[in-house]
Amino acid sequence: MGRPLLYDVIEKPATSCIITICSLIWFLIQKKSIGYSQVGLSYETAVQGHYWRIITSAFSHISVLHLVFNMSALWSLGVVEQLGGLGLGTGYYLHYSLVLVLVSGGLVIGMYHLLIGGFKVEYFRRVTAVGYSCVVFGWMTILSVKQPSSKLDLFGVLSLPISFAPFESLIFTSIIVPQASFLGHLSGILVGYAVSWGLIGGMNDYWAVTMLGWVVVVFVFSLKKSGAYDFSFLEIESVSDASLPSLRFVGNGRTLQASAVSFSGVEVV
């Protein structure tokens, strides 16, 4: 008799929560008949200020097969939460999951910008990416460096040596799933190496909460400014310096002026 699933859920709380969130979002997308273009990330929407799509695109899946594949891999990679003795653990998993979502999303847009501006490949202007694979490939890479003896189990039947899994999976998905985002998966691998080699480090509870706070601010601000959602309690209005937006909370007359820093086809990831 196998080990009860509840024990694994308890030992992988963050992984279990993320899988639950992605599954609920997939259910909502199906129920509301939401298209990938409404939640996905593309170069065109990014330059239009739809920064909220970096978050929504990561947690959205359009097909059930896409969801099952990503969540199956993520469940196996949740072993990171059980490796506290190696300096990993649940806190590390949460901190760098946030980093992987944000940095890999930004890196994808950067790659699109280079291909469009430098090489005139206009195809990437409208490519829309959705899915949690950037993070999945990032954790594959981190685990391949931190714990190369681990295995990646898919669907409970396929087991891959974790040391080769990132590039094996990159090639495999590119061959059998033509619409799979090669650049999206590659960005997850690159950010994963940056994390595991210490090029992106120093994350702790303070920085994670601070980063999350800014994510919420930018998420709400960009939703409002792009017209994707109308927050009735919030208004964006011009101030003395027309180049800087300000936020006004309706009802109390308080105005917050932003600093000089500006929030400057489909592929599945």
Side-chain angles (χ1 to χ4, degrees):
M1 186 174 179
R3 177 179 175 174
L5 179 62
L6 181 60
Y7 288 135
D8 287 326
V9 171
I10 293 172
E11 291 183 356
K12 303 177 182 178
T15 305
S16 301
C17 286
I18 292 172
I19 290 174
T20 300
I21 290 170
C22 288
S23 300
L24 290 174
I25 290 174
W26 174 83
F27 178 78
L28 180 64
I29 285 173
Q30 301 305 309
K31 185 176 181 180
K32 300 291 186 181
S33 298
I34 298 172
Y36 67 86
S37 61
Q38 296 173 266
V39 293
L41 178 66
S42 69
Y43 182 80
E44 278 196 339
T45 55
V47 298
Q48 291 169 5
H50 294 221
Y51 308 119
W52 51 271
R53 290 175 180 266
I54 290 178
I55 305 300
T56 60
S57 64
F59 290 92
S60 299
H61 298 79
I62 302 304
S63 73
V64 66
L65 182 61
H66 186 206
L67 174 71
V68 170
F69 183 86
N70 277 355
M71 295 304 102
S72 175
L74 187 65
W75 178 254
S76 179
L77 293 166
V79 70
V80 170
E81 294 193 71
Q82 301 170 318
L83 298 175
L86 295 177
L88 304 178
T90 299
Y92 183 94
Y93 183 84
L94 287 171
H95 295 164
Y96 287 100
S97 288
L98 179 60
V99 169
L100 285 167
V101 169
L102 298 177
V103 180
S104 61
L107 183 57
V108 168
I109 295 301
M111 290 178 177
Y112 289 167
H113 179 75
L114 178 62
L115 289 167
I116 294 167
F119 297 93
K120 310 303 179 184
V121 185
E122 291 297 315
Y123 164 77
F124 291 102
R125 187 175 295 277
R126 296 178 179 83
V127 168
T128 302
V130 290
Y132 204 69
S133 295
C134 284
V135 182
V136 169
F137 274 77
W139 280 120
M140 280 188 204
T141 305
I142 293 170
L143 202 56
S144 72
V145 175
K146 300 284 189 180
Q147 187 74 359
S149 61
S150 297
K151 299 282 187 179
L152 175 66
D153 295 318
L154 296 175
F155 309 110
V157 295
L158 180 62
S159 182
L160 300 173
I162 196 67
S163 55
F164 301 110
F167 292 103
E168 284 180 344
S169 299
L170 180 65
I171 295 170
F172 178 73
T173 54
S174 297
I175 292 174
I176 69 168
V177 185
Q179 71 270 34
S181 176
F182 180 87
L183 293 181
H185 296 167
L186 180 61
S187 71
I189 291 174
L190 293 176
V191 178
Y193 276 124
V195 170
S196 56
W197 291 342
L199 302 177
I200 300 176
M203 285 293 291
N204 53 34
D205 291 342
Y206 171 79
W207 287 114
V209 171
T210 301
M211 184 181 294
L212 186 60
W214 278 109
V215 167
V216 172
V217 170
V218 175
F219 186 86
V220 172
F221 177 83
S222 61
L223 270 175
K224 174 75 174 184
K225 189 174 182 181
S226 66
Y229 190 85
D230 182 22
F231 292 96
S232 58
F233 62 88
L234 186 66
E235 288 185 0
I236 301 175
E237 59 183 19
S238 299
V239 290
S240 54
D241 185 345
S243 67
L244 302 180
S246 68
L247 305 181
R248 183 165 67 86
F249 293 89
V250 178
N252 59 18
R254 295 181 180 178
T255 299
L256 172 65
Q257 183 174 346
S259 68
V261 179
S262 61
F263 299 113
S264 43
V266 62
E267 289 187 345
V268 293
V269 295

